[in-house]
Amino acid sequence: MLAFFLGLLFPVFAQQKQAYNDVKPFSGAKEFRKWSIGINAGVLNPSVIFGGSNDFANPQYTLGYGANVRYQINHYLGIQGDFLMGKLKGNQDDKFGTGRPISSFKTDLKWAGSLSGVVTFGNVNWLSNKNTVIPYASVGLGFLHYTTKIVKAGTTNEVDYVDNVSPKNPFFVPVGAGLKFNLSRVLNLDLGYRMNFVDGDNLDGSPYWNTTPGNSS
């Protein structure tokens, strides 16, 4: 499985709910509106912070953007649907990347849709009417569609990468964590990091069988 998206996401959620002074303590979630929508933008990268395998010595940062919809089941658990688009890039501009059959790639992420469970922590603050900063973590499952262009070693022309082995729309597992900042009664700002583990080694146009010595390229 190939990991991608160094995603520093900045979604803003719009959620209507009652004034805090009107909500009775220990009354459950029935007095709150449970639906929220958001937009996000951030940085994409074909690697993750704790390492792992990477076919390109120089993974590059690009822009990603999307939107989401969340349904809050209770004070600590919600279900969120995410939609993401963007581009992924990488090259071998490094002494450790020499000898590879592909010198660079560019993947156009047409769409990535996922459904995740989101757990929030610290929604109850005994010293204040509300919490200003709330940490959260999420995990889910989704599918994505993309096209990839590559530049073969020793050439300068960019060509379409064709793979008849890997699935056309592979699934991926998004895992994330972050902090939610309450800006007002109707706006939240989320700062988070999300890793997406993709069941498709052709995401960067350089699958295992093309880069392993002794295998065909």
Side-chain angles (χ1 to χ4, degrees), residues 20-21 23 32 123-132 185:
Y20 291 99
N21 294 335
V23 178
F32 291 86
N123 265 331
V124 176
N125 188 337
W126 302 106
L127 301 179
S128 177
N129 287 336
K130 65 173 182 175
N131 276 347
T132 303
R185 293 178 178 177

Side-chain angles (χ1 to χ4, degrees), residues 68-86:
N68 52 64
V69 178
R70 179 184 295 183
Y71 178 77
Q72 197 68 28
I73 299 174
N74 52 39
H75 290 298
Y76 56 87
L77 179 63
I79 299 176
Q80 181 168 311
D82 288 276
F83 179 80
L84 180 67
M85 300 176 65

Side-chain angles (χ1 to χ4, degrees), residues 78 120 141 216:
T120 56
L141 183 67
S216 60

